[in-house]
Amino acid sequence: MTPAAFVILHATVLPVSGPALPDTPVVVDEGRIVQVGGAVPGGVRTVDATGQYLTPGFIDLHSHMGVYPWPGGGGTSDGNEAVEPFTPRVRAMDSFDPEDPALARARAGGVTTIQVLPGSANLVGGQAAILKLRPSRTVEPMQFAGAPRAIKMACGENPKRVYGGATDEDQVQTRMGELAMLREEFTRAREYAAARGGKAPPPQDLDLDVLADVLAGKVRVNLHCYRSHDIAGWFRVADEFGFRIVTVHHALETYKVRDLLAAHGTGIATWPDWWGFKQEAFDGIPEGAALVSSAGVPVATHSDSSSHVQRFNVEAAKMVRYGMTEADALESITLDPARLLGVDAWVGSVEVGKTADLALWNKHPLDGTALCQKTWIDGVVVYDRAGEGTPDGLR
Amino acid sequence: MASASRRDLLAGLGALGAGLVVRSAHAAFPKDVQTSPGTFTSPVPPAGDPRAVDEGGYIAAERPARTTWTVSNAHILVGDGTVVRGGVRVEGGRIAALGPGVTGGDDLGGATVFPGFFDGGSSIGLVEIDLEAGTHDEAESSDGVVPAARVVDAYNPASALIPVARRQGVLGGLVLPSGGLVSGTAAWMCFAEATVEGATWDAAAGVVIQMGRGGTGGLPNQPKSRMGVALKLRELLDAHKLPEPPDPKAKKKKGEPEKPEELTRTQQVWRAVRERKRKVILGVDRADDILTAIALAREYGLDAVLLGAAEGHRVARDIAASKFPVLLAPTSTQPSGWDTLQASYANAARLEREGVPLVFRAGGPHNLRELPTEACLAVAYGLPHEAAVRAACGHNAAKVWSGLPFGTLAVDRPATLAVADGDPLQPRTRVLRAWIGGSELSLRSRQTTLLERFRTLR
């Protein structure tokens, strides 16, 4: 044990990887969980959590914090590089503002890891930033070391709406146009990938570099997609080119084709109850996530909102209202998003060997009046309600 | 916990990033994915259940509603903050008895009876799909000042959004026009009727006026700055003075009939506002805008309600002194825009502590079912539970708009109420049944139809 070691005592631990553990000590040293249960080691700092609940830090697969920082407006709108339908070259980290006030409020809700995505104007919108919510003045210290690369793609109404009004005949007007463009682009990427390793490599193309890596399975694909027929269409193209869609985001009609997702090993990231804001969202039903989960598909609750992410425990509780088990609901904000990001070796559960990204709650976190009391990232306290008051600084 | 098949799938996912799993273009799909029993339940009554009256969700007109009934063995939230155990006996659509003495009828097995939820302001019935311009009727944008435009002339009682709200126990709401400086006339609507006439509780609930940046814009007669907002409103109110009292000295010529005053529809609305016969609903968020609204309303003696008040906690005493109630959406109180930089989770609790009457609203029309979640969040940040019930379940609304037929369960009051399987404010709780005026409502919706259709894949 180092001098920095500490033990959280008497909490009910909700490890997510297993059943609840009443009155169980959790020992943290050098940023890692080194002991769950057993005898309390002597000579280490203690955190008394009597009557409280300890969970893994929450993970949001769909965040625009930092790329649409608050207060919102044209001056800070940095999420959509809507200059053409394919911009795999752009990176969310290059827009990310670490001083977005929403970040501190998310920490105060027990959120510790986020995937920051570019917006959904483009068919391929750019590269994701997978970040830990470490308080920081620049984005670099927030990077989740070891996290696989990830990219944002989008289909359906948004690219059509953004580019459909253009008179330029190269722009996209319909869903069939979107998929034709996708096939064209991946055809180019396949040729580029083949030539890249050859004797006469082509001039470097920052877009095709990324898409070639997608084809090589080095980049996880996040697809913004609502409609069942859009999902089926994208699977057709992905199967043809041999890349895998790891997570379908929003996914409001995936309950209709959950067998297709199961067969492709594709997970979803969705809301418990959003629907109706556009035509492709009109068939969203709140039981959709539970139906998809029942088909064996990993389901992550996502926020897509700098406000809702602050109450991620309540979002999970609503999943229970609409048919999920409590265990699956907690998994949907912890371990399932960790798996879909490819970081579950480090985070997503309270287990020995994992990083000490933890949240302490005054009540069971699925109680709508529960408030996060303390948040740790890498074993460091990043929010303490007793000291800081509410996320907005009031007491 | 994840099922065995699910674990296998997740194990497969773990390999990604290291190497690609190439799939055939025609991967064989499982023949069917059944929902596994035990992991999926729904409170929706199946088709054929007598509670599932029809797909559209209305009480079928040809089916005589049973308005005399009894439920018992319940935990009853009266609505005013008190809690009693026992039952409710309803006769002719009104509550005939309530409390421990009422037994028999349907045994609710300890479930919670409460007045239902009543939303303090949304565009439900005026908008179907946000991004489909053809479904929008909430903003009469021909002019920036349209006080006589009435939402009851646009409200669609067949909107698919209404049964979705009702299914979670939201039985009615204030429907607001938006846009411009003076947006139009709001209405309190009941969420269980097939016609606008039948659904209207109050067609003239107040004239909606947008203040702060919200009042500025490019419509004809719309101001461009906060200065202009205050100026234009004062000019409008000045231009619609109360009529001079009759001069007692003036000689009245015999036989000459009194000339009735001819007022346009717009003038009639302003006259009603000046006479305090019509409320004004003032949209404000920034603290100084709230003070401006209060000052203006006092200057002209208006019967005002504040809508928004995200920064209300900063001027809570001033709001309390004005006696103006607040229509509040707790989670919209985020520092997301320039008018709400000082927004706080503690807003509702602070306002309540100073004695400001609160009515909760959920915000967007698609998720009025979020109303209890909003109230629950306010409880998490210090609002007493009973105060949250008063603000979400219609009690306060029916005080502000006296005569609204909901919000308190008491003898002789209309039997408008709902049953939930726990604390109705909690996000895990489900609403099981609901009645308006003693008639049981269908809790089916377009969404439950989709659920039934895709519960098993065929």
Side-chain angles (χ1 to χ4, degrees):
Chain A
M1 296 280 165
T2 69
F6 65 94
V7 55
I8 301 164
L9 282 176
H10 305 309
T12 299
V13 179
L14 303 175
V16 178
S17 50
L21 307 167
D23 192 1
T24 297
V26 173
V27 184
V28 173
D29 192 18
E30 294 188 293
R32 281 170 172 262
I33 299 163
V34 296
Q35 186 186 325
V36 178
V40 177
V44 299
R45 269 187 315 124
T46 60
V47 176
D48 182 10
T50 305
Q52 302 192 319
Y53 289 79
L54 188 71
T55 65
F58 296 156
I59 301 171
D60 187 4
L61 284 188
H62 198 113
S63 181
H64 297 301
M65 287 193 289
V67 296
Y68 287 107
W70 286 349
T76 55
S77 178
D78 285 312
N80 269 313
E81 184 61 11
V83 293
E84 55 178 313
F86 290 92
T87 57
R89 61 189 178 274
V90 307
R91 306 184 299 177
M93 69 171 286
D94 295 329
S95 276
F96 187 82
D97 174 5
E99 298 202 41
D100 182 350
L103 295 164
R105 295 170 72 100
R107 278 196 291 273
V111 178
T112 52
T113 295
I114 58 172
Q115 175 168 243
V116 181
L117 296 167
S120 50
N122 298 351
L123 290 163
V124 176
Q127 297 163 61
I130 294 138
L131 305 176
K132 295 250 228 163
L133 292 184
R134 301 174 183 116
S136 178
R137 288 175 292 112
T138 58
V139 71
E140 282 79 3
M142 298 178 71
Q143 306 263 22
F144 196 129
R149 292 160 62 197
I151 195 162
K152 169 78 175 287
M153 301 189 187
C155 65
E157 290 184 27
N158 285 14
K160 248 175 22 134
R161 188 176 62 250
V162 172
Y163 296 101
T167 50
D168 183 336
E169 62 188 25
D170 289 339
Q171 305 290 8
V172 65
Q173 311 264 340
T174 63
R175 288 181 152 90
M176 55 187 172
E178 289 180 3
L179 282 175
M181 282 188 107
L182 189 71
R183 295 181 74 245
E184 275 175 1
E185 202 68 11
F186 272 106
T187 301
R188 294 208 307 132
R190 191 159 59 186
E191 288 164 3
Y192 179 85
R196 194 167 60 168
K199 282 180 189 164
Q204 187 173 21
D205 182 313
L206 292 180
D207 286 329
L208 294 180
D209 269 341
V210 178
L211 293 186
D213 287 349
V214 168
L215 291 176
K218 293 176 181 167
V219 183
R220 292 190 170 219
V221 173
N222 295 279
L223 174 64
H224 154 118
C225 185
Y226 290 89
R227 284 227 146 141
S228 50
H229 68 86
D230 283 335
I231 294 161
W234 276 67
F235 277 144
R236 279 198 297 279
V237 175
D239 289 346
E240 178 183 337
F241 287 90
F243 70 88
R244 184 171 179 188
I245 298 163
V246 172
T247 308
V248 174
H249 288 243
H250 313 330
L252 289 189
E253 287 190 12
T254 46
Y255 66 93
K256 298 179 180 178
V257 289
R258 50 195 188 271
D259 50 349
L260 261 177
L261 280 100
H264 280 80
T266 294
I268 69 165
T270 190
W271 305 279
D273 53 9
W274 289 25
W275 74 288
F277 38 89
K278 48 180 154 174
Q279 270 198 348
E280 63 189 3
F282 207 63
D283 274 9
I285 64 173
E287 295 82 359
L291 282 174
V292 173
S293 177
S294 74
V297 171
V299 173
T301 298
H302 75 6
S303 78
D304 192 17
S305 158
S306 301
S307 170
H308 283 70
V309 66
Q310 300 166 25
R311 302 173 300 282
F312 231 30
N313 60 314
V314 175
E315 295 300 287
K318 285 188 285 182
M319 288 294 197
V320 177
R321 169 188 286 167
Y322 298 121
M324 243 188 221
T325 65
E326 298 201 343
D328 281 349
L330 279 175
E331 205 168 333
S332 80
I333 51 175
T334 53
L335 207 42
D336 271 347
R339 287 164 177 143
L340 292 167
L341 283 178
V343 297
D344 52 306
W346 300 291
V347 296
S349 58
V350 182
E351 289 182 89
V352 170
K354 286 208 175 178
T355 309
D357 289 2
L358 300 164
L360 189 63
W361 301 82
N362 61 346
K363 297 175 185 170
H364 191 289
L366 297 178
D367 182 322
T369 63
L371 292 176
C372 176
Q373 301 300 307
K374 237 186 233 287
T375 310
W376 289 268
I377 294 178
D378 310 320
V380 175
V381 174
V382 294
Y383 174 71
D384 185 355
R385 192 169 294 264
E388 295 174 42
T390 63
D392 33 64
L394 288 181
R395 283 163 191 285
Chain B
M1 292 300 103
S3 63
S5 64
R6 188 148 176 246
R7 269 195 297 275
D8 293 342
L9 191 77
L10 294 168
L13 263 181
L16 196 87
L20 182 72
V21 182
V22 181
R23 287 177 176 276
S24 125
H26 303 285
F29 304 141
K31 272 188 185 156
D32 193 7
V33 181
Q34 298 274 345
T35 57
S36 47
T39 60
F40 185 80
T41 54
S42 164
V44 179
D49 185 295
R51 279 180 276 148
V53 177
D54 70 29
E55 292 290 314
Y58 305 117
I59 303 163
E62 65 278 9
R63 191 170 180 273
R66 197 165 63 100
T67 57
T68 296
W69 44 268
T70 302
V71 292
S72 61
N73 188 18
H75 185 79
I76 303 168
L77 302 182
V78 171
D80 61 0
T82 58
V83 182
V84 295
R85 291 210 56 100
V88 183
R89 191 168 78 244
V90 173
E91 288 171 7
R94 288 185 176 266
I95 296 173
L98 175 141
V102 178
T103 55
D106 290 358
D107 186 333
L108 295 180
T112 305
V113 168
F114 70 109
F117 297 113
F118 298 88
D119 183 76
S122 78
S123 57
I124 195 165
L126 307 179
V127 179
E128 202 70 4
I129 298 175
D130 295 334
L131 289 188
E132 293 298 322
T135 73
H136 281 256
D137 280 304
E138 79 281 26
E140 179 44 52
S141 306
S142 56
D143 196 278
V145 180
V146 287
R150 307 186 308 163
V151 300
V152 288
D153 293 323
Y155 182 79
N156 174 16
S159 164
L161 283 62
I162 293 169
V164 169
R166 188 173 58 219
R167 184 179 162 209
Q168 205 50 48
V170 185
L171 305 183
L174 179 64
V175 181
L176 299 171
S178 60
L181 174 68
V182 180
S183 311
T185 298
W188 271 99
M189 306 302 289
C190 166
F191 292 163
E193 290 292 339
T195 65
V196 176
E197 286 72 19
T200 303
W201 273 323
D202 182 352
V207 176
V208 176
I209 298 175
Q210 315 290 346
M211 296 187 68
R213 279 315 291 180
T216 66
L219 301 181
N221 290 309
Q222 194 173 10
K224 304 289 182 283
S225 73
R226 285 177 158 87
M227 293 187 281
V229 167
L231 171 64
K232 182 81 184 173
L233 288 175
R234 285 193 167 93
E235 283 179 348
L236 284 164
L237 290 161
D238 288 341
H240 296 92
K241 285 188 172 37
L242 292 170
E244 296 287 330
D247 185 354
K249 291 176 199 162
K251 285 180 193 166
K252 206 175 177 185
K253 285 181 190 167
K254 254 190 178 174
E256 188 179 299
E258 267 190 47
K259 245 190 186 173
E261 203 179 4
E262 282 188 19
L263 298 177
T264 64
R265 285 175 189 280
T266 298
Q267 287 168 333
Q268 287 169 29
V269 173
W270 285 119
R271 172 67 61 83
V273 165
R274 295 300 310 270
E275 291 176 341
R276 295 177 62 86
K277 290 177 181 164
R278 183 75 41 87
K279 290 183 192 302
V280 287
I281 299 170
L282 306 176
V284 274
D285 277 317
R286 208 170 81 179
D288 62 289
D289 290 332
I290 295 171
L291 296 180
T292 301
I294 290 172
L296 191 133
R298 276 191 171 156
E299 201 175 317
Y300 290 90
L302 307 181
D303 182 10
V305 176
L306 303 180
L307 167 68
E311 295 188 352
H313 64 98
R314 300 190 65 216
V315 290
R317 286 192 182 150
D318 301 270
I319 298 175
S322 78
K323 307 231 185 293
F324 297 153
V326 171
L327 307 174
L328 191 73
T331 52
S332 74
T333 57
Q334 296 279 327
S336 52
W338 294 101
D339 278 13
T340 64
L341 288 177
Q342 306 289 327
S344 168
Y345 277 121
N347 202 24
R350 292 265 167 125
L351 291 171
E352 159 77 16
R353 205 179 309 150
E354 297 297 337
V356 177
L358 300 178
V359 177
F360 282 143
R361 50 192 291 262
H366 292 89
N367 266 346
L368 296 195
R369 58 191 173 190
E370 279 289 78
L371 187 60
T373 317
E374 300 284 346
C376 195
L377 180 72
V379 173
Y381 280 94
L383 185 71
H385 189 275
E386 60 269 25
V389 168
R390 286 193 293 265
C393 301
H395 184 79
N396 289 353
K399 276 189 158 175
V400 176
W401 283 269
S402 57
L404 287 178
F406 54 72
T408 312
L409 304 182
V411 171
D412 286 340
R413 296 275 299 170
T416 294
L417 50 94
V419 176
D421 65 0
D423 177 353
L425 302 188
Q426 281 285 347
R428 279 175 290 182
T429 300
R430 294 161 180 191
V431 167
L432 308 174
R433 300 174 71 176
W435 295 260
I436 286 181
S439 297
E440 183 150 20
L441 308 176
S442 164
L443 297 184
R444 298 184 64 76
S445 69
R446 191 173 178 281
Q447 296 194 340
T448 62
T449 303
L450 283 163
L451 171 60
E452 292 310 324
R453 184 171 157 204
F454 290 97
R455 191 187 282 280
T456 302
L457 298 182
R458 294 185 180 88

